[in-house]
PDB file of all heavy atoms in Angstrom:
ATOM      1  N   THR L 152      35.748  20.439 -16.423  1.00 92.00           N
ATOM      2  CA  THR L 152      36.333  21.205 -17.530  1.00 92.00           C
ATOM      3  C   THR L 152      35.227  22.015 -18.193  1.00 92.00           C
ATOM      4  O   THR L 152      34.123  21.492 -18.433  1.00 92.00           O
ATOM      5  CB  THR L 152      36.980  20.255 -18.547  1.00 92.00           C
ATOM      6  OG1 THR L 152      37.989  19.482 -17.896  1.00 92.00           O
ATOM      7  CG2 THR L 152      37.611  21.033 -19.691  1.00 92.00           C
ATOM      8  N   VAL L 153      35.495  23.297 -18.463  1.00 92.00           N
ATOM      9  CA  VAL L 153      34.472  24.163 -19.060  1.00 92.00           C
ATOM     10  C   VAL L 153      35.045  24.891 -20.260  1.00 92.00           C
ATOM     11  O   VAL L 153      36.259  25.120 -20.364  1.00 92.00           O
ATOM     12  CB  VAL L 153      33.928  25.177 -18.042  1.00 92.00           C
ATOM     13  CG1 VAL L 153      33.203  24.478 -16.910  1.00 92.00           C
ATOM     14  CG2 VAL L 153      35.040  26.055 -17.484  1.00 92.00           C
ATOM     15  N   TYR L 154      34.137  25.257 -21.155  1.00 90.00           N
ATOM     16  CA  TYR L 154      34.506  26.076 -22.309  1.00 90.00           C
ATOM     17  C   TYR L 154      33.227  26.665 -22.883  1.00 90.00           C
ATOM     18  O   TYR L 154      32.110  26.267 -22.506  1.00 90.00           O
ATOM     19  CB  TYR L 154      35.247  25.260 -23.360  1.00 90.00           C
ATOM     20  CG  TYR L 154      34.541  23.991 -23.794  1.00 90.00           C
ATOM     21  CD1 TYR L 154      33.616  23.997 -24.833  1.00 90.00           C
ATOM     22  CD2 TYR L 154      34.814  22.784 -23.146  1.00 90.00           C
ATOM     23  CE1 TYR L 154      32.971  22.839 -25.224  1.00 90.00           C
ATOM     24  CE2 TYR L 154      34.169  21.622 -23.530  1.00 90.00           C
ATOM     25  CZ  TYR L 154      33.246  21.655 -24.566  1.00 90.00           C
ATOM     26  OH  TYR L 154      32.604  20.510 -24.955  1.00 90.00           O
ATOM     27  N   THR L 155      33.371  27.618 -23.758  1.00 88.00           N
ATOM     28  CA  THR L 155      32.219  28.237 -24.395  1.00 88.00           C
ATOM     29  C   THR L 155      32.288  28.008 -25.894  1.00 88.00           C
ATOM     30  O   THR L 155      33.342  27.646 -26.438  1.00 88.00           O
ATOM     31  CB  THR L 155      32.159  29.745 -24.089  1.00 88.00           C
ATOM     32  OG1 THR L 155      30.935  30.284 -24.599  1.00 88.00           O
ATOM     33  CG2 THR L 155      33.327  30.484 -24.719  1.00 88.00           C
ATOM     34  N   VAL L 156      31.139  28.175 -26.535  1.00 85.00           N
ATOM     35  CA  VAL L 156      31.067  28.023 -27.988  1.00 85.00           C
ATOM     36  C   VAL L 156      30.362  29.245 -28.564  1.00 85.00           C
ATOM     37  O   VAL L 156      29.574  29.907 -27.860  1.00 85.00           O
ATOM     38  CB  VAL L 156      30.314  26.728 -28.373  1.00 85.00           C
ATOM     39  CG1 VAL L 156      31.078  25.509 -27.934  1.00 85.00           C
ATOM     40  CG2 VAL L 156      28.906  26.718 -27.794  1.00 85.00           C
ATOM     41  N   PRO L 157      30.610  29.567 -29.808  1.00 82.00           N
ATOM     42  CA  PRO L 157      29.962  30.739 -30.415  1.00 82.00           C
ATOM     43  C   PRO L 157      28.443  30.639 -30.353  1.00 82.00           C
ATOM     44  O   PRO L 157      27.858  29.573 -30.546  1.00 82.00           O
ATOM     45  CB  PRO L 157      30.478  30.695 -31.860  1.00 82.00           C
ATOM     46  CG  PRO L 157      31.766  29.941 -31.791  1.00 82.00           C
ATOM     47  CD  PRO L 157      31.576  28.926 -30.725  1.00 82.00           C
ATOM     48  N   GLY L 158      27.829  31.776 -30.046  1.00 79.00           N
ATOM     49  CA  GLY L 158      26.375  31.849 -29.995  1.00 79.00           C
ATOM     50  C   GLY L 158      25.768  31.420 -28.686  1.00 79.00           C
ATOM     51  O   GLY L 158      24.544  31.381 -28.555  1.00 79.00           O
ATOM     52  N   MET L 159      26.606  31.117 -27.702  1.00 83.00           N
ATOM     53  CA  MET L 159      26.090  30.615 -26.423  1.00 83.00           C
ATOM     54  C   MET L 159      25.805  31.768 -25.465  1.00 83.00           C
ATOM     55  O   MET L 159      26.501  32.781 -25.456  1.00 83.00           O
ATOM     56  CB  MET L 159      27.117  29.658 -25.796  1.00 83.00           C
ATOM     57  CG  MET L 159      26.576  28.894 -24.598  1.00 83.00           C
ATOM     58  SD  MET L 159      27.730  27.607 -24.110  1.00 83.00           S
ATOM     59  CE  MET L 159      26.791  26.852 -22.790  1.00 83.00           C
ATOM     60  N   ASP L 160      24.759  31.622 -24.669  1.00 85.00           N
ATOM     61  CA  ASP L 160      24.402  32.636 -23.684  1.00 85.00           C
ATOM     62  C   ASP L 160      25.580  32.856 -22.734  1.00 85.00           C
ATOM     63  O   ASP L 160      26.172  31.884 -22.242  1.00 85.00           O
ATOM     64  CB  ASP L 160      23.167  32.173 -22.885  1.00 85.00           C
ATOM     65  CG  ASP L 160      22.619  33.266 -21.994  1.00 85.00           C
ATOM     66  OD1 ASP L 160      23.307  33.620 -21.011  1.00 85.00           O
ATOM     67  OD2 ASP L 160      21.511  33.759 -22.268  1.00 85.00           O
ATOM     68  N   PRO L 161      25.958  34.127 -22.440  1.00 85.00           N
ATOM     69  CA  PRO L 161      27.130  34.392 -21.590  1.00 85.00           C
ATOM     70  C   PRO L 161      26.976  33.921 -20.150  1.00 85.00           C
ATOM     71  O   PRO L 161      27.962  33.832 -19.425  1.00 85.00           O
ATOM     72  CB  PRO L 161      27.292  35.913 -21.671  1.00 85.00           C
ATOM     73  CG  PRO L 161      25.935  36.427 -22.030  1.00 85.00           C
ATOM     74  CD  PRO L 161      25.350  35.388 -22.950  1.00 85.00           C
ATOM     75  N   ASP L 162      25.754  33.654 -19.686  1.00 89.00           N
ATOM     76  CA  ASP L 162      25.555  33.179 -18.309  1.00 89.00           C
ATOM     77  C   ASP L 162      25.802  31.680 -18.186  1.00 89.00           C
ATOM     78  O   ASP L 162      25.700  31.124 -17.090  1.00 89.00           O
ATOM     79  CB  ASP L 162      24.132  33.491 -17.834  1.00 89.00           C
ATOM     80  CG  ASP L 162      23.949  34.970 -17.532  1.00 89.00           C
ATOM     81  OD1 ASP L 162      24.963  35.645 -17.270  1.00 89.00           O
ATOM     82  OD2 ASP L 162      22.799  35.457 -17.581  1.00 89.00           O
ATOM     83  N   TRP L 163      26.105  31.007 -19.301  1.00 89.00           N
ATOM     84  CA  TRP L 163      26.271  29.558 -19.300  1.00 89.00           C
ATOM     85  C   TRP L 163      27.586  29.164 -19.958  1.00 89.00           C
ATOM     86  O   TRP L 163      28.139  29.894 -20.780  1.00 89.00           O
ATOM     87  CB  TRP L 163      25.120  28.878 -20.051  1.00 89.00           C
ATOM     88  CG  TRP L 163      23.788  29.079 -19.402  1.00 89.00           C
ATOM     89  CD1 TRP L 163      23.014  30.188 -19.459  1.00 89.00           C
ATOM     90  CD2 TRP L 163      23.089  28.154 -18.569  1.00 89.00           C
ATOM     91  NE1 TRP L 163      21.864  30.034 -18.727  1.00 89.00           N
ATOM     92  CE2 TRP L 163      21.885  28.785 -18.170  1.00 89.00           C
ATOM     93  CE3 TRP L 163      23.352  26.851 -18.129  1.00 89.00           C
ATOM     94  CZ2 TRP L 163      20.948  28.147 -17.351  1.00 89.00           C
ATOM     95  CZ3 TRP L 163      22.420  26.226 -17.326  1.00 89.00           C
ATOM     96  CH2 TRP L 163      21.232  26.878 -16.940  1.00 89.00           C
ATOM     97  N   LEU L 164      28.097  27.994 -19.580  1.00 92.00           N
ATOM     98  CA  LEU L 164      29.264  27.394 -20.218  1.00 92.00           C
ATOM     99  C   LEU L 164      28.960  25.925 -20.496  1.00 92.00           C
ATOM    100  O   LEU L 164      28.003  25.367 -19.928  1.00 92.00           O
ATOM    101  CB  LEU L 164      30.502  27.502 -19.307  1.00 92.00           C
ATOM    102  CG  LEU L 164      31.088  28.899 -19.039  1.00 92.00           C
ATOM    103  CD1 LEU L 164      32.153  28.813 -17.965  1.00 92.00           C
ATOM    104  CD2 LEU L 164      31.662  29.507 -20.310  1.00 92.00           C
ATOM    105  N   ILE L 165      29.763  25.319 -21.346  1.00 92.00           N
ATOM    106  CA  ILE L 165      29.676  23.870 -21.531  1.00 92.00           C
ATOM    107  C   ILE L 165      30.598  23.214 -20.509  1.00 92.00           C
ATOM    108  O   ILE L 165      31.773  23.573 -20.398  1.00 92.00           O
ATOM    109  CB  ILE L 165      30.083  23.452 -22.953  1.00 92.00           C
ATOM    110  CG1 ILE L 165      29.166  24.099 -23.983  1.00 92.00           C
ATOM    111  CG2 ILE L 165      30.065  21.938 -23.087  1.00 92.00           C
ATOM    112  CD1 ILE L 165      27.721  23.650 -23.877  1.00 92.00           C
ATOM    113  N   GLY L 166      30.078  22.287 -19.738  1.00 93.00           N
ATOM    114  CA  GLY L 166      30.870  21.597 -18.729  1.00 93.00           C
ATOM    115  C   GLY L 166      31.030  20.127 -19.063  1.00 93.00           C
ATOM    116  O   GLY L 166      30.085  19.488 -19.561  1.00 93.00           O
ATOM    117  N   GLU L 167      32.209  19.589 -18.806  1.00 92.00           N
ATOM    118  CA  GLU L 167      32.472  18.172 -19.052  1.00 92.00           C
ATOM    119  C   GLU L 167      33.016  17.522 -17.790  1.00 92.00           C
ATOM    120  O   GLU L 167      33.869  18.095 -17.108  1.00 92.00           O
ATOM    121  CB  GLU L 167      33.471  17.996 -20.203  1.00 92.00           C
ATOM    122  CG  GLU L 167      32.904  18.331 -21.566  1.00 92.00           C
ATOM    123  CD  GLU L 167      33.866  17.944 -22.687  1.00 92.00           C
ATOM    124  OE1 GLU L 167      34.972  17.449 -22.363  1.00 92.00           O
ATOM    125  OE2 GLU L 167      33.521  18.140 -23.865  1.00 92.00           O
ATOM    126  N   ARG L 168      32.496  16.312 -17.509  1.00 91.00           N
ATOM    127  CA  ARG L 168      32.979  15.530 -16.378  1.00 91.00           C
ATOM    128  C   ARG L 168      33.032  14.082 -16.855  1.00 91.00           C
ATOM    129  O   ARG L 168      32.012  13.402 -16.936  1.00 91.00           O
ATOM    130  CB  ARG L 168      32.046  15.681 -15.178  1.00 91.00           C
ATOM    131  CG  ARG L 168      32.496  14.862 -13.950  1.00 91.00           C
ATOM    132  CD  ARG L 168      31.523  15.049 -12.799  1.00 91.00           C
ATOM    133  NE  ARG L 168      30.172  14.709 -13.213  1.00 91.00           N
ATOM    134  CZ  ARG L 168      29.103  15.471 -12.982  1.00 91.00           C
ATOM    135  NH1 ARG L 168      29.241  16.617 -12.355  1.00 91.00           N
ATOM    136  NH2 ARG L 168      27.904  15.092 -13.388  1.00 91.00           N
ATOM    137  N   GLY L 169      34.254  13.642 -17.236  1.00 87.00           N
ATOM    138  CA  GLY L 169      34.375  12.315 -17.812  1.00 87.00           C
ATOM    139  C   GLY L 169      33.663  12.242 -19.155  1.00 87.00           C
ATOM    140  O   GLY L 169      33.906  13.037 -20.057  1.00 87.00           O
ATOM    141  N   ASN L 170      32.699  11.299 -19.282  1.00 87.00           N
ATOM    142  CA  ASN L 170      31.925  11.170 -20.508  1.00 87.00           C
ATOM    143  C   ASN L 170      30.652  12.005 -20.498  1.00 87.00           C
ATOM    144  O   ASN L 170      29.917  12.015 -21.481  1.00 87.00           O
ATOM    145  CB  ASN L 170      31.563   9.691 -20.737  1.00 87.00           C
ATOM    146  CG  ASN L 170      32.795   8.837 -20.973  1.00 87.00           C
ATOM    147  OD1 ASN L 170      33.771   9.310 -21.547  1.00 87.00           O
ATOM    148  ND2 ASN L 170      32.744   7.583 -20.519  1.00 87.00           N
ATOM    149  N   GLN L 171      30.392  12.677 -19.369  1.00 90.00           N
ATOM    150  CA  GLN L 171      29.185  13.496 -19.253  1.00 90.00           C
ATOM    151  C   GLN L 171      29.463  14.911 -19.730  1.00 90.00           C
ATOM    152  O   GLN L 171      30.544  15.468 -19.496  1.00 90.00           O
ATOM    153  CB  GLN L 171      28.689  13.515 -17.806  1.00 90.00           C
ATOM    154  CG  GLN L 171      28.241  12.141 -17.301  1.00 90.00           C
ATOM    155  CD  GLN L 171      27.808  12.211 -15.846  1.00 90.00           C
ATOM    156  OE1 GLN L 171      28.516  12.745 -15.004  1.00 90.00           O
ATOM    157  NE2 GLN L 171      26.640  11.670 -15.564  1.00 90.00           N
ATOM    158  N   LYS L 172      28.457  15.529 -20.338  1.00 91.00           N
ATOM    159  CA  LYS L 172      28.629  16.865 -20.892  1.00 91.00           C
ATOM    160  C   LYS L 172      27.292  17.580 -20.858  1.00 91.00           C
ATOM    161  O   LYS L 172      26.238  16.966 -21.036  1.00 91.00           O
ATOM    162  CB  LYS L 172      29.161  16.755 -22.325  1.00 91.00           C
ATOM    163  CG  LYS L 172      29.356  18.082 -23.026  1.00 91.00           C
ATOM    164  CD  LYS L 172      30.198  17.943 -24.295  1.00 91.00           C
ATOM    165  CE  LYS L 172      29.691  16.843 -25.214  1.00 91.00           C
ATOM    166  NZ  LYS L 172      30.485  16.754 -26.455  1.00 91.00           N
ATOM    167  N   GLY L 173      27.320  18.894 -20.614  1.00 92.00           N
ATOM    168  CA  GLY L 173      26.086  19.670 -20.590  1.00 92.00           C
ATOM    169  C   GLY L 173      26.352  21.110 -20.207  1.00 92.00           C
ATOM    170  O   GLY L 173      27.458  21.490 -19.811  1.00 92.00           O
ATOM    171  N   LYS L 174      25.311  21.916 -20.324  1.00 93.00           N
ATOM    172  CA  LYS L 174      25.420  23.335 -19.974  1.00 93.00           C
ATOM    173  C   LYS L 174      25.456  23.483 -18.443  1.00 93.00           C
ATOM    174  O   LYS L 174      24.737  22.773 -17.730  1.00 93.00           O
ATOM    175  CB  LYS L 174      24.248  24.118 -20.553  1.00 93.00           C
ATOM    176  CG  LYS L 174      24.239  24.191 -22.079  1.00 93.00           C
ATOM    177  CD  LYS L 174      23.045  24.967 -22.581  1.00 93.00           C
ATOM    178  CE  LYS L 174      21.739  24.251 -22.238  1.00 93.00           C
ATOM    179  NZ  LYS L 174      20.564  24.947 -22.802  1.00 93.00           N
ATOM    180  N   VAL L 175      26.268  24.441 -17.964  1.00 93.00           N
ATOM    181  CA  VAL L 175      26.371  24.724 -16.524  1.00 93.00           C
ATOM    182  C   VAL L 175      26.332  26.243 -16.334  1.00 93.00           C
ATOM    183  O   VAL L 175      26.865  27.000 -17.161  1.00 93.00           O
ATOM    184  CB  VAL L 175      27.670  24.143 -15.919  1.00 93.00           C
ATOM    185  CG1 VAL L 175      27.637  22.625 -15.953  1.00 93.00           C
ATOM    186  CG2 VAL L 175      28.893  24.646 -16.659  1.00 93.00           C
TER     187      VAL L 175
END
């Protein structure tokens, strides 16, 4: 699952896999 947040670099998204989360 991915999404973006304000102020984030456009080449990156936030990714979630279960309880894990990080930039992708």
Side-chain angles (χ1 to χ4, degrees):
T152 301
V153 296
Y154 52 88
T155 187
V156 294
M159 190 170 183
D160 189 291
D162 286 337
W163 296 78
L164 292 171
I165 300 296
E167 289 188 358
R168 179 180 56 228
N170 296 327
Q171 296 178 310
K172 179 166 51 178
K174 293 179 295 184
V175 293

